[in-house]
Amino acid sequence: MRTEPPLSIAVVGPGAIGTTVAAALHEVGRTPLLCGRTARAQLTLHDGDRLVTVPGPVWTDPARADRHGIDRPCDLVFLAVKATQVEAAAPWLAALSGPDTVVCVLQNGVEQL
């Protein structure tokens, strides 16, 4: 019997929105690849009195995606950056996406000047 590889998921922009999505995914056993501007060993979501820790690291260099264990395009990419950061996130989208990748845009900061 042939088995499919597990669904690969990435979160680009692990700020408030991205960390919330990453924590929700992690809690259901779908821990995403984390990609952003600031390297971190892990992410921690504070949900009231509860803490959800998402193991990292947060990768910061899309040009080195192959060294981050990305050996194929991701199946699903959550783009969770502010509208003003889309251009800076473009290299991550190029490194993580293929023709069948679904990109879910979780845009915030839309009305910023």
Side-chain angles (χ1 to χ4, degrees):
M1 175 181 0
R2 188 175 148 203
T3 60
E4 294 293 320
L7 187 70
S8 59
I9 304 172
V11 173
V12 177
I17 302 297
T19 296
T20 300
V21 170
L25 289 165
H26 178 65
E27 287 193 304
V28 296
R30 301 285 188 161
T31 305
L33 178 73
L34 305 171
C35 308
R37 295 182 301 182
T38 304
R40 299 185 193 288
Q42 63 191 23
L43 299 176
T44 302
L45 175 73
H46 298 263
D47 181 16
D49 292 335
R50 191 171 72 99
L51 298 178
V52 179
T53 300
V54 182
V58 175
W59 299 108
T60 60
D61 186 357
R64 299 180 63 172
D66 60 331
R67 295 184 186 174
H68 304 326
I70 305 168
D71 59 353
R72 62 186 174 98
C74 288
D75 299 305
L76 176 60
V77 175
F78 287 95
L79 180 64
V81 299
K82 290 181 173 54
T84 57
Q85 299 168 327
V86 171
E87 187 174 336
W92 274 119
L93 289 174
L96 298 170
S97 300
D100 297 322
T101 300
V102 174
V103 176
C104 179
V105 179
L106 306 173
Q107 201 78 72
N108 60 0
V110 173
E111 295 181 18
Q112 291 185 0
L113 300 176

